[in-house]
Amino acid sequence: MNFVEELTWRGMIHDIMPGTEEQLQKEMTTAYVGIDPTADSLHIGHLVSVMILKHFQRAGHKPIALVGGATGMIGDPSMKSQERKLLDEETLRHNQEAIKKQLSKFLDFESDAPNAAELVNNYDWMKNFTFLDFIRDIGKYITVNYMMAKDSVKKRLGGENSSGLSFTEFSYQLVQGYDFLWLNQHKNCKLQMGGSDQWGNITTGTELIRRTTGGEAYALTCPLITKADGGKFGKTESGNVWLDPRYTSPYKFYQFWLNVSDIDAERYIKIFTSLSREEIEELVAEQQAAPHLRPLQKRLAREVTVMVHSQEAYEAAVEASGILFGNATAEQLRKLDEETLLAVFEGVPRFEVGREELRQGIKAVDLLTEKAAVFPSKGEMRKTVQGGGVSLNKEKLAAFDREITEADLLNGRHLIVQRGKKNYFLLTAK
């Protein structure tokens, strides 16, 4: 597999330094991508760089994931208008371990293959580097004029809403440049890859290598992913879409991909999966023939959810998705954990009901008219129940005065009432 050709048809190359493709065709090459360890989980904004490393390893080359323990203590000014919060070493180490665990789903770290992936932390080679040594041994090779010319610096210095640029952040590109130099010398790493906003930092690294050792160094960046409507990719109303199920449930993760637009689905399936060109072209043709069936979104959601979570998590997410729109059973509803249950019924009308009344038992007609306004009157509820139009926890309510107790609660807390085909209500015992 030709790595550059593969990335080109997938729409994953923004800039590439001359000579990069020739280097990759010449020999197995080591390349790295830097990952900011500001959280103990990656989010889907990181996935583009991770997929590049995955394709890189598939092409027979050696990927290095660099967790920026040292650079994370500084904060990259690229595309930022404010200085970020700095982290302590204990937090960075914890985040590093969590990130490695996630990366293991994409990259082979464990085998004895010559191109097995490695995880490194730049804090390990920066922590004992004194400030005086750094500015003497590294700073002298890169001029202030060169650093000032970078877009990330110019934007922060000239932007209307900018608070300026601290010396700490100004030095960031030098520290990142030194990472590349260190990896070039100690790991024979000849290529740095990243998002297009990193081009300035990456080329500082190639320049530093050229000026200090005269070594070979190359750069490749991918486009920053956007949505067709101009909105920010990977953001929802509740924030980032995380890879860790503690922060974004597999159900919500699956739903994110399932709900992308047709235009975005066609782009994203090339970027975020390893499906072949032929498979993707077939799916695109299917989508054009029957867009209402959404084969692109369904396959995209499946591939990414299985890759990030598991086949079981994907199947559970599909089953949960069918509860609102399909003929789900009471058994399927009871299988949902509370987080997924609340995610599935997010946005439906909600009522709080007294736990004590459920403990003693309360007639459905009283519960759904007096305690929760699911029906405007007892007469209307009686008529709807007689017509078979009311379900409790996905089971038809046979009698309007059926007693409802704590035993009916899902996860010990919730009741799902369905009026007609589409109207759902969530009742929570307090």
Side-chain angles (χ1 to χ4, degrees):
M1 174 178 131
N2 181 308
F3 176 68
V4 174
E5 278 179 13
E6 182 78 8
L7 258 55
T8 301
W9 77 259
R10 289 183 182 275
M12 294 174 79
I13 292 185
H14 187 272
D15 287 303
I16 181 167
M17 192 172 276
T20 304
E21 188 169 8
E22 291 78 0
Q23 166 60 34
L24 295 174
Q25 287 173 324
K26 186 172 72 175
E27 61 187 359
M28 184 185 86
T29 302
T30 300
Y32 90 95
V33 164
I35 293 168
D36 190 352
T38 44
D40 63 355
S41 173
L42 302 173
H43 53 74
I44 59 173
H46 293 108
L47 265 187
V48 189
S49 295
V50 174
M51 289 304 295
I52 282 182
L53 286 178
K54 184 179 172 75
H55 291 309
F56 194 68
Q57 192 169 41
R58 281 177 60 222
H61 300 293
K62 183 178 178 69
I64 292 178
L66 180 145
V67 174
T71 34
M73 287 180 162
I74 299 172
D76 181 2
S78 304
M79 312 296 278
K80 309 282 191 308
S81 60
Q82 299 293 325
E83 190 157 342
R84 70 173 57 171
K85 194 175 77 179
L86 308 183
L87 302 176
D88 59 58
E89 185 179 355
E90 188 184 348
T91 305
L92 288 166
R93 291 293 181 195
H94 164 74
N95 293 355
Q96 175 186 341
E97 287 311 307
I99 288 168
K100 182 174 183 181
K101 194 174 170 188
Q102 290 182 334
L103 288 173
S104 298
K105 295 183 177 179
F106 302 86
L107 303 170
D108 166 24
F109 287 97
E110 303 303 325
S111 79
D112 54 5
N115 71 327
E118 278 188 57
L119 185 85
V120 296
N121 186 337
N122 60 9
Y123 185 73
D124 294 332
W125 57 80
M126 289 301 299
K127 64 183 174 186
N128 296 321
F129 212 154
T130 70
F131 176 70
L132 289 175
D133 286 342
F134 187 78
I135 58 172
R136 183 193 64 195
D137 298 342
I138 305 303
K140 67 180 180 185
Y141 288 103
I142 303 292
T143 65
V144 170
N145 310 50
Y146 179 86
M147 294 170 76
M148 295 280 284
K150 300 293 185 182
D151 284 343
S152 58
V153 173
K154 284 198 286 194
K155 280 178 187 167
R156 280 290 293 276
L157 290 176
E160 282 180 27
N161 301 319
S162 173
S163 57
L165 188 69
S166 70
F167 176 76
T168 304
E169 287 184 295
F170 182 60
S171 66
Y172 185 93
Q173 60 173 293
L174 258 191
V175 181
Q176 184 171 326
Y178 180 69
D179 287 342
F180 198 177
L181 173 61
W182 192 94
L183 289 169
N184 184 265
Q185 290 177 306
H186 294 84
K187 303 278 185 184
N188 194 29
C189 178
K190 295 183 179 177
L191 173 62
Q192 185 183 167
M193 305 185 289
S196 58
D197 61 324
Q198 291 295 309
W199 182 255
N201 292 333
I202 293 173
T203 51
T204 297
T206 60
E207 189 66 11
L208 187 60
I209 290 167
R210 190 182 68 76
R211 293 184 185 184
T212 53
T213 66
E216 286 183 281
Y218 303 94
L220 183 154
T221 61
C222 56
L224 294 179
I225 305 303
T226 55
K227 291 190 340 193
D229 63 6
K232 191 164 183 183
F233 167 75
K235 290 275 188 185
T236 64
E237 284 178 21
S238 53
N240 283 324
V241 178
W242 298 93
L243 273 53
D244 191 314
R246 290 175 303 159
Y247 305 135
T248 300
S249 69
Y251 169 78
K252 278 193 167 178
F253 186 86
Y254 168 77
Q255 284 290 323
F256 171 82
W257 299 101
L258 192 64
N259 290 314
V260 300
S261 69
D262 290 2
I263 297 170
D264 287 336
E266 191 172 331
R267 285 174 57 231
Y268 295 169
I269 202 161
K270 294 174 187 169
I271 295 167
F272 297 107
T273 77
S274 297
L275 294 177
S276 69
R277 195 170 190 164
E278 294 69 34
E279 285 175 288
I280 290 173
E281 283 169 357
E282 278 178 31
L283 286 163
V284 169
E286 279 179 44
Q287 185 95 353
Q288 286 167 348
H292 63 287
L293 296 177
R294 309 177 85 242
L296 272 176
Q297 284 93 336
K298 287 177 182 173
R299 188 63 185 276
L300 170 67
R302 178 177 125 192
E303 291 291 322
V304 186
T305 306
V306 170
M307 179 171 63
V308 169
H309 293 292
S310 66
Q311 181 69 28
E312 293 73 29
Y314 159 72
E315 287 167 6
V318 172
E319 200 168 273
S321 301
I323 284 170
L324 270 181
F325 312 107
N327 298 315
T329 63
E331 186 189 355
Q332 286 172 316
L333 191 62
R334 288 192 178 277
K335 270 166 51 182
L336 294 185
D337 60 82
E338 185 175 25
E339 188 183 7
T340 306
L341 178 81
L342 293 174
V344 169
F345 293 99
E346 192 173 30
V348 307
R350 299 177 72 158
F351 299 99
E352 286 185 6
V353 294
R355 186 174 285 277
E356 190 53 43
E357 289 161 314
L358 291 169
R359 195 170 284 139
Q360 293 171 3
I362 182 171
K363 289 179 180 176
V365 67
D366 295 332
L367 179 69
L368 302 183
T369 57
E370 295 171 7
K371 307 299 178 185
V374 174
F375 290 93
S377 68
K378 292 184 177 183
E380 186 169 328
M381 180 181 165
R382 183 185 287 116
K383 195 165 67 178
T384 312
V385 170
Q386 286 168 346
V390 182
S391 294
L392 176 72
N393 298 340
K394 284 289 180 182
E395 288 179 337
K396 281 268 191 293
L397 202 62
F400 73 93
D401 58 353
R402 189 206 125 174
E403 190 172 74
I404 296 173
T405 69
E406 272 192 307
D408 292 302
L409 292 172
L410 301 167
N411 302 113
R413 290 191 64 205
H414 308 286
L415 297 167
I416 300 294
V417 178
Q418 190 175 354
R419 189 185 77 203
K421 280 189 176 179
K422 294 182 179 176
N423 298 307
Y424 286 93
F425 302 86
L426 174 67
L427 279 58
T428 300
K430 291 287 183 184

